[in-house]
Amino acid sequence: DYTDWTTYRQLVVKWNNDASSSTDIKNWKSVWAFRLGTEYTYSDTWKFRGGFFYDFNPIKDKRFETRMPDSDRVAFSLGTGYTKGNITIDIMYQYVKFIERTIIDSYGTGVSIDSSLDGNYKSSAHLPGITIGYKFQ
C-alpha cells in the first residue's frame, strides 16, 4: 500500500462562537506499507489465519507529537474461524511492535522551543479480538 500523506499539510480548528482558530502544521511524508496474510481452510467448520505487516511512519522527526507518537512498526497476527450452521465465531490476536524512535530537534506541538519533545520513544500493543455472527436466512 502507498499512502500519499503529503496532502496532510495542516490541521485547522475553527470555533463557531468567535473568529478564533488554531492551526497545527503537519507536513507528513508519503510512505509504503507491506502486508501479507494467509488463510488455511481445514474444514467447512474451521479456518486458520496468519498475517504480518510492516508500516513505515509518515511523521517527520521535526513534526513529532505525543498525540500521534508514531514510528515504523511491525505486526504479527493469528486467528481462527469457526462456523456451525448460521453461527460464526472469529478469534484473533495481533502483536504490534513500534520500532524505537529517537527524536532530536523536534518543534513540538503547542509547546515552546525550550520544551520540545526530544527523547526516545518505544511501545507495543497486544490486540485480541472476537467476533460472533449470526446469518439470518
Side-chain angles (χ1 to χ4, degrees):
D1 290 333
Y2 178 79
T3 304
D4 184 14
W5 284 111
T6 60
T7 59
Y8 188 35
R9 293 185 179 100
Q10 62 187 5
L11 175 64
V12 179
V13 178
K14 295 181 182 181
W15 288 266
N16 288 333
N17 57 353
D18 59 26
S20 62
S21 67
S22 170
T23 301
D24 192 0
I25 304 299
K26 298 298 182 183
N27 290 333
W28 287 9
K29 60 186 176 182
S30 295
V31 293
W32 285 92
F34 300 97
R35 292 174 167 73
L36 178 66
T38 188
E39 178 178 271
Y40 173 71
T41 301
Y42 178 75
S43 67
D44 289 340
T45 304
W46 287 101
K47 295 179 182 176
F48 300 97
R49 302 176 188 104
F52 166 84
F53 74 71
Y54 191 99
D55 283 345
F56 289 93
N57 167 45
I59 302 172
K60 299 174 185 176
D61 286 354
K62 294 273 188 200
R63 296 293 176 191
F64 181 82
E65 59 184 79
T66 56
R67 284 179 286 178
M68 182 68 77
D70 207 4
S71 70
D72 293 352
R73 59 185 167 253
V74 62
F76 302 92
S77 61
L78 294 172
T80 187
Y82 174 81
T83 302
K84 189 71 173 180
N86 293 346
I87 298 173
T88 60
I89 301 172
D90 289 291
I91 300 172
M92 63 79 63
Y93 168 78
Q94 184 175 71
Y95 174 72
V96 182
K97 172 70 174 160
F98 292 81
I99 307 303
E100 187 171 344
R101 183 171 183 187
T102 300
I103 302 298
I104 300 171
D105 295 329
S106 70
Y107 295 138
T109 301
V111 297
S112 69
I113 293 173
D114 295 335
S115 61
S116 70
L117 300 173
D118 295 350
N120 293 323
Y121 294 83
K122 60 182 175 178
S123 64
S124 61
H126 298 274
L127 307 168
I130 186 168
T131 302
I132 301 172
Y134 182 83
K135 295 179 185 177
F136 295 95
Q137 295 180 350

